[in-house]
């Protein structure tokens, strides 16, 4: 029924003359008219106006013969498409006599076959010789032009819709919202009944309903095969659009149940790309068969591409977010996300009233593991610890890595402190089994601190402060011997605050010259001669008076201040001992002992800095003794070993301090370049009192002799101890019995009294 229509308006005069000719039977014109691709007519005015002439093309275009047409004056009005009828008839009646050039009208007419034909109706109104107004007009079939126009409009509308979707994608990165938007956009297309987004499932074998068809399907109905036996699977697999013209006669694909319940007849599916693999399929449905053309596929694909971009961008954003909030080594949340989660938990706790607990966990001796076995082994350990911690916690608890060997656990809903302690015990169980490091099984322990808060609207709790509390409790656990757990309490808070205060003041202590050295004589037990002096640091605190190292050295170690302080001690002690040498040019030079803490020994450059001090002061290295506590060696740190070797090469003497408090055996000691060992005062205390410890000292002394190590006893407080030490053949002694640590001027006086000052004290003299 479709036909091209090209005719345009003719001059009115010509038209009416022409028609008069035809009607009056001009054979030539009649033949001409009847060959035109249009219907020529003359009809009287009015809805039921009589038709005087209709050219035979009317039958070809509309399916009714001219005779039928002329016989029924109401036929024309009856055939106008119901949606257009009112408008056209109004136009017809509004046209007044004498308006010789009314605008052409277009409208749809239903043919005898029930098809719709677009008609352009162009006519002029003229009075005939009797004065009756008569239309002289031409009806063109403009169906194709109209269809093309509509198609263009549809494409433009679709382009606008895709643009709108793209805009929304830029404004709001949430793919779910965008998918819902895309689905509703699809349903705006003419004849589209519904749309949905299918997402590729985790296993890649199924697609899962992600948006659209809300409430239409449940359970299995929300899934469809991702293989080529489903239309969406085929679209996914081929990367091309798939059109199902009629589900009733479809043989290639089985119909998803979710579509069946909707009475869908035709479908169009296109793939949605994802970041690394296809994300899924955008699927559009119609209740009409054959609704979709490849033209629609372009539009739907364009929308799917917008979705794909948004999904990829969102995935990239998520990945970035993940990187910002997670620790890359262990994959655990980092401190930042821990603080976030803790803040949330505290807020919820304020409302619910339930306490919030956190655990602060620090691996014991991790630094030594790192130093001795290498960083990759340390990393390996951290990676192995993370899943174990997780496995020992409840699913809702959060484990985070704060950095280094520090982990945090957030227990959002607690009954009370006891429950927190129980959870800490479970966490400690993560260390019951050995860890494989560098292919060897090692037992690792951790120190844990617990802090529990009961936030209320009157007393809000600060996340950072709670973490600090747990940290302080963990610190206490370390102090109390590691591999244990401590609950934070008010006293600890006071201590923590105190530590912070001390650290702040200590930073200025050096420049304000508040540090001083006291010296304690080391006496040769054979002669009573002062052969050495141990430099022991003191802090002349402006408010608190003279402080012993126990009050600030641990803080200096933790904060790193021990390094500048240590250099100052070494330099001051070296200068002082040289001064004493110069004061007694004829006497045997006295040695100076300086203590080093583990952190100083772990520093790679210690030997270099000691050599510098010696060069600057001009002290002969043989007169410098460095005291190192046994703990430094226990872990067999590679750096510590290298540092000791380097120090020994410079020519300084090394003394193992506090011997007996650690675990090292004498045999093990022989691997390190020590010159002397200092028996801890706890052993000296027990001399002659505890049989067992006396026997140990005896054994130490004879084995040290075999290894050519000098033995010094520290903390000698009474004559009984002294005589026992002499009996056992101990080389040197140091303690209150001889002298406390004294300021330099008092030592000068002591040295001035003569070297063999203490000979009278020795037994049997
Ligand atoms: P240490 O090296 O074992 O020093 C011996 C400690 O025992 C000194 O305490 C000393 O005053 C004390 N002492 C001496 N004789 C007796 C005695 O007969 N009975 C008792 N009960 N104690 C006695 P001080 O000066 O408080 O030093 C404590 C620790 O601080 C030292 O232990 C040392 O490890 C550390 N330290 C001191 N000065 C420095 C320093 O300049 N650098 C570093 N890194 N550590 C230092
Ligand atoms: Mg010492
Ligand atoms: Mg000692």
């Amino acid at each position: 029924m479709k036909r091209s229509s090209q005719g345009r308006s003719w001059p009115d005069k010509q038209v009416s003359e022409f028609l008069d000719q035809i009607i009056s039977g001009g054979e030539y014109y009649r033949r001409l008219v009847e060959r035109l691709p249009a219907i020529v007519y003359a009809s009287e005015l009015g809805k039921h106006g009589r038709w005087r002439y209709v050219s035979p093309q009317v039958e070809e275009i509309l399916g009714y013969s001219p005779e039928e047409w002329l016989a029924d004056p109401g036929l024309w009005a009856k055939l106008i498409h119901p949606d257009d009828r009112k408008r056209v008839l109004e136009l017809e009646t509004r046209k007044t006599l004498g308006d010789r050039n009314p605008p052409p009208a277009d409208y749809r007419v239903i043919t005898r076959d029930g098809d719709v034909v677009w008609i352009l109706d162009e006519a002029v109104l003229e009075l005939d010789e009797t004065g009756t107004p008569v239309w002289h007009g031409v009806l063109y079939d403009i169906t194709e032009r109209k269809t093309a126009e509509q198609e263009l409009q549809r494409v433009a509308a679709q382009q606008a819709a895709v643009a709108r979707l793209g805009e929304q994608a830029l404004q709001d990165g949430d793919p779910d919202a965008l998918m819902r938007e895309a689905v509703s956009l699809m349903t705006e297309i003419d004849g589209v009944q519904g749309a949905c987004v299918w997402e590729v499932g985790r296993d890649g074998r199924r697609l899962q309903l992600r948006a659209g068809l809300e409430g239409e399907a449940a359970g299995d109905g929300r899934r469809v095969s991702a293989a080529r036996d489903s239309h969406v699977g085929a679209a996914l697999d081929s990367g091309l659009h798939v059109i199902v013209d009629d589900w009733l006669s479809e043989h290639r694909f089985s119909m998803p149940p979710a579509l069946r319940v909707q009475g869908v007849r035709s479908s169009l599916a296109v793939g949605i790309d994802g970041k690394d693999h296809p994300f899924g399929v955008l699927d559009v449905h119609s209740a009409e068969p054959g609704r979709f053309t490849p033209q629609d596929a372009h539009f739907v694909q364009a929308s799917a591409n917008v979705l794909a971009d948004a999904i990829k961008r969102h995935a990239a954003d998520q990945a970035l977010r993940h990187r910002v909030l997670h620790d890359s080594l262990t994959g655990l949340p980092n401190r930042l996300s821990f603080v976030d989660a803790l803040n949330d938990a505290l807020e919820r706790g304020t409302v619910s009233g339930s306490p919030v607990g956190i655990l602060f966990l620090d691996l014991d001796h991790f630094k030594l593991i790192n130093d001795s076995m290498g960083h990759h082994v340390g990393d390996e350990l951290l990676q192995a610890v993370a899943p174990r911690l997780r496995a020992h916690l409840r699913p809702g608890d959060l484990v985070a890595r704060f950095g280094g060997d520090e982990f945090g656990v957030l227990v959002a809903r607690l009954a009370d402190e006891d429950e927190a302690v129980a959870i800490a015990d479970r966490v400690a169980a993560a260390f019951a089994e050995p860890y494989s490091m560098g292919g060897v099984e090692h037992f690792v322990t951790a120190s844990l601190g617990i802090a529990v808060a009961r936030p209320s609207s009157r007393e809000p709790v600060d996340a950072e402060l709670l973490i600090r509390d747990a940290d302080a409790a963990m610190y206490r656990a370390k102090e109390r011997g590691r591999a244990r757990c401590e609950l934070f309490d008010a006293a600890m808070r006071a201590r923590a605050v105190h530590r912070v205060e001390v650290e702040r003041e200590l930073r200025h202590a050096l420049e304000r010259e508040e540090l001083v050295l006291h010296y304690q004589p080391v006496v040769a037990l054979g002669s009573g001669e002062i052969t050495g002096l141990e430099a022991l640091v003191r802090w002349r605190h402006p408010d608190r008076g003279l402080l012993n190292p126990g009050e600030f050295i641990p803080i200096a170690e933790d904060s790193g201040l021990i390094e500048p302080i240590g250099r100052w001690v070494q330099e001051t002690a070296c200068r002082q001992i040289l001064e004493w040498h110069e004061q007694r040019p004829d006497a045997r030079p006295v040695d100076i002992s300086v203590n080093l803490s583990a952190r100083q020994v772990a520093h790679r450059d210690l030997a270099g800095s000691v050599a510098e001090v010696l060069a600057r002061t001009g002290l002969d290295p043989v007169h410098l003794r460095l005291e190192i506590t046994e703990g430094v060696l226990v872990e067999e740190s590679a750096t510590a070993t290298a540092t000791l070797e380097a120090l020994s090469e410079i020519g300084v003497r090394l003394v193992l301090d506090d011997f007996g408090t650690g675990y090292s055996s004498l045999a093990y000691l022989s691997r390190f370049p020590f010159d002397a060992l200092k028996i801890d005062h706890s052993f000296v205390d027990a001399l002659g009192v505890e049989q067992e410890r006396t026997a140990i000292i005896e054994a130490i002394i004879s084995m040290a002799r075999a290894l050519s190590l000098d033995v010094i006893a520290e903390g000698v407080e009474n004559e009984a101890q002294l005589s026992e030490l002499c009996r056992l053949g101990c080389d040197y002694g140091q303690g209150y019995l001889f002298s406390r640590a004294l300021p330099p001027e008092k030592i000068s006086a002591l040295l001035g009294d003569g070297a063999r000052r203490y000979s009278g004290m020795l037994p049997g003299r």
Side-chain angles (χ1 to χ4, degrees):
M1 261 331 236
K2 293 173 190 151
R3 183 164 334 289
S4 70
S5 57
Q6 36 294 91
R8 292 274 11 121
S9 7
W10 299 333
D12 300 344
K13 185 86 182 142
Q14 258 171 289
V15 173
S16 50
E17 279 175 8
F18 176 66
L19 285 169
D20 286 343
Q21 285 285 343
I22 295 163
I23 295 159
S24 62
E27 199 43 44
Y28 169 73
Y29 289 113
R30 185 182 291 271
R31 279 211 310 277
L32 190 63
V33 160
E34 290 176 359
R35 278 207 299 275
L36 287 174
I39 305 162
V40 177
Y41 71 89
S43 76
E44 287 167 17
L45 182 67
K47 185 167 154 188
H48 299 291
R50 195 170 64 84
W51 289 70
R52 292 190 180 171
Y53 171 77
V54 176
S55 65
Q57 292 95 320
V58 73
E59 182 154 15
E60 208 185 320
I61 295 174
L62 298 176
Y64 295 91
S65 69
E67 292 72 34
E68 286 174 295
W69 204 266
L70 297 188
D72 181 359
L75 186 61
W76 170 72
K78 212 160 57 200
L79 293 182
I80 297 175
H81 193 284
D83 291 353
D84 297 341
R85 192 177 294 140
K86 197 162 165 252
R87 172 175 60 89
V88 174
L89 293 181
E90 258 171 27
L91 232 99
E92 156 88 17
T93 46
R94 244 192 296 126
K95 280 175 187 163
T96 48
L97 188 61
D99 182 357
R100 297 184 49 84
N101 191 15
D106 58 4
Y107 49 85
R108 282 163 289 178
V109 175
I110 315 281
T111 67
R112 184 191 283 277
D113 295 344
D115 287 338
V116 173
V117 169
W118 274 95
I119 292 293
L120 179 74
D121 187 348
E122 220 170 352
V124 291
L125 197 58
E126 299 254 311
L127 298 180
D128 69 0
E129 50 280 9
T130 67
T132 315
V134 176
W135 288 112
H136 293 220
V138 184
L139 303 177
Y140 306 97
D141 176 358
I142 56 163
T143 307
E144 270 189 22
R145 198 184 82 205
K146 274 288 182 189
T147 311
E149 264 172 28
Q150 276 175 338
E151 189 60 28
L152 274 177
Q153 262 169 20
R154 199 158 74 111
V155 170
Q158 290 175 345
Q159 278 166 349
V162 172
R164 226 161 55 225
L165 190 65
E167 216 169 290
Q168 171 144 0
L170 285 181
Q171 280 165 12
D172 178 5
D174 175 22
D176 278 296
L178 203 65
M179 282 182 222
R180 284 195 297 276
E181 180 66 23
V183 162
S184 84
L185 209 81
M186 296 300 114
T187 52
E188 279 173 28
I189 311 175
D190 254 3
V192 169
Q193 169 198 18
C196 61
V197 173
W198 302 94
E199 182 183 357
V200 180
R202 249 176 251 275
D203 61 358
R205 293 214 307 274
R206 292 184 156 269
L207 287 147
Q208 183 95 29
L209 210 47
R210 174 78 180 258
L213 299 182
E214 264 79 26
E216 296 300 335
D220 254 5
R222 300 187 63 81
R223 282 185 285 275
V224 64
S225 155
R228 278 179 171 270
D229 58 345
S230 83
H231 73 299
V232 281
L236 188 76
D237 198 50
S238 64
L240 304 170
H241 70 261
V242 169
I243 293 176
V244 174
D245 274 327
D246 194 347
W247 279 110
L248 295 186
S249 54
E250 178 57 47
H251 298 301
R252 299 165 297 167
F253 312 119
S254 57
M255 189 174 189
L259 304 190
R260 196 185 307 276
V261 295
Q262 293 243 299
V264 166
R265 285 292 293 278
S266 55
S267 291
L268 162 60
V270 304
I272 305 171
D273 229 2
K275 190 162 164 278
D276 310 310
H277 50 83
F279 171 81
V281 173
L282 178 58
D283 192 14
V284 187
H285 322 294
S286 175
E288 304 162 23
R291 169 61 195 76
F292 298 104
T293 63
Q295 174 58 46
D296 294 315
H298 290 153
F299 165 57
V300 177
Q301 185 66 66
S303 305
N305 292 349
V306 172
L307 280 183
D309 278 351
I311 288 162
K312 281 185 248 182
R313 207 170 37 242
H314 184 74
D317 284 355
Q318 289 295 100
L320 183 67
R321 206 180 133 71
H322 191 272
R323 274 206 299 283
V324 170
L325 292 176
H326 287 77
D327 161 50
S328 59
L329 180 67
T330 59
L332 291 178
N334 59 16
R335 197 177 203 281
L336 194 68
S337 35
F338 186 85
V339 171
D340 267 0
L342 178 54
N343 272 320
D344 287 351
L346 289 169
E347 217 161 274
R348 269 181 275 121
T350 309
V351 179
S352 69
S354 67
V356 174
I358 61 169
L359 310 183
F360 196 111
L361 183 150
D362 187 293
L363 300 184
D364 295 330
H365 304 301
F366 180 73
K367 192 176 165 6
L368 294 163
I369 292 168
N370 242 350
D371 282 351
S372 59
M373 304 175 78
H375 283 268
H376 62 283
V377 176
D379 286 354
E380 204 183 309
L381 173 62
L382 293 171
Q383 281 168 331
V385 166
R388 280 217 212 160
L389 288 179
R390 264 227 175 94
H392 284 82
L393 287 162
R394 304 178 300 192
D397 301 335
L398 177 79
V399 187
R401 180 177 173 220
F402 286 172
D405 59 340
E406 292 174 351
F407 295 86
V409 177
L410 170 61
V411 189
R413 267 191 314 279
L414 271 181
D416 50 22
E417 275 86 353
D418 289 351
E419 195 187 353
V421 175
I423 290 170
D425 285 344
R426 280 217 301 278
V427 170
F431 299 93
E433 299 287 314
Y435 285 87
S436 165
M437 284 187 267
V440 183
E441 305 266 280
H442 289 268
F443 279 96
V444 175
T445 59
S447 299
L448 273 147
I450 307 171
V452 176
R454 294 171 185 277
S456 69
S457 45
R458 266 191 301 121
E459 258 181 288
V461 176
D462 182 87
E464 288 292 351
L465 290 185
L466 193 63
I467 295 175
R468 207 194 60 194
D469 290 352
D471 188 2
M474 182 282 290
Y475 196 85
R476 169 60 74 85
K478 292 262 184 210
E479 279 179 339
R480 291 193 168 168
R482 300 186 159 95
R484 54 183 292 140
C485 169
E486 293 287 335
L487 182 64
F488 183 81
D489 58 28
M492 245 183 253
R493 172 165 313 174
R495 278 164 46 95
V497 170
H498 174 71
R499 284 183 73 85
V500 172
E501 175 79 352
V502 170
E503 185 185 323
R504 202 173 48 75
E505 291 175 340
L506 193 56
R507 287 191 187 278
H508 303 293
L510 263 182
E511 66 203 45
R512 293 181 186 156
E513 299 187 350
E514 290 170 0
L515 297 184
V516 292
L517 290 184
H518 283 186
Y519 299 87
Q520 185 177 37
V522 179
V523 177
L525 297 186
S527 61
E529 195 181 344
I530 298 176
T531 55
L533 291 161
E534 177 172 7
L536 294 160
V537 70
R538 302 286 180 264
W539 182 4
R540 245 194 240 123
H541 191 278
D543 309 321
R544 296 164 59 209
L546 196 65
L547 302 181
N548 280 333
E551 297 203 49
F552 60 93
I553 288 293
I555 296 172
E557 285 174 353
D558 278 353
S559 59
L561 284 170
I562 191 67
E563 271 148 33
I565 291 175
R567 279 193 296 275
W568 176 86
V569 169
Q570 289 155 28
E571 179 136 3
T572 309
C574 288
R575 290 195 193 286
Q576 180 62 67
I577 204 72
L578 276 168
E579 206 181 301
W580 283 322
H581 289 176
E582 279 157 23
Q583 278 173 16
R584 307 160 65 235
D586 303 327
R588 194 180 98 76
V590 177
D591 295 336
I592 182 77
S593 289
V594 170
N595 292 284
L596 292 178
S597 53
R599 178 154 181 161
Q600 290 172 278
V601 178
H603 203 284
R604 283 168 204 284
D605 220 32
L606 178 68
S609 106
V610 167
E612 237 170 69
V613 168
L614 289 169
R616 249 201 322 271
T617 57
L619 180 70
D620 184 340
V622 293
H623 295 307
L624 179 61
R625 291 170 169 252
L626 297 176
E627 299 194 0
I628 295 148
T629 60
E630 204 184 3
V632 173
L633 312 175
V634 174
E635 309 285 335
E636 238 187 299
S637 149
T639 321
T641 313
T643 302
L644 297 185
E645 299 283 348
L647 284 171
S648 155
E649 239 145 72
I650 295 172
V652 300
R653 305 289 162 87
L654 299 178
V655 180
L656 187 64
D657 206 349
D658 304 339
F659 186 79
T661 53
Y663 312 93
S664 48
S665 67
L666 276 176
Y668 172 83
L669 264 186
S670 62
R671 290 202 240 149
F672 300 96
F674 283 102
D675 298 281
L677 59 87
K678 214 179 228 191
I679 301 174
D680 192 66
H681 63 76
S682 56
F683 283 88
V684 176
D685 281 350
L687 260 184
V689 183
E690 272 179 57
Q691 207 44 52
E692 200 182 328
R693 291 225 232 181
T694 310
I696 291 173
I697 294 195
E698 204 170 345
I700 291 173
I701 292 172
S702 61
M703 284 173 82
R705 184 133 306 137
L707 290 165
S708 315
L709 293 170
D710 284 344
V711 180
I712 307 153
E714 70 179 338
V716 186
E717 291 181 350
N718 56 48
E719 307 266 353
Q721 290 165 354
L722 178 61
S723 65
E724 271 299 288
L725 287 167
C726 288
R727 183 181 68 81
L728 297 173
C730 182
D731 305 300
Y732 301 93
Q734 188 182 349
Y736 295 167
L737 179 66
F738 304 114
S739 169
R740 292 183 175 257
L742 298 171
E745 55 284 2
K746 295 218 169 129
I747 294 289
S748 298
L750 209 63
L751 291 174
D753 285 353
R756 296 171 66 93
R757 190 168 188 305
Y758 300 109
S759 55
M761 263 186 207
L762 302 176
R765 313 241 166 171

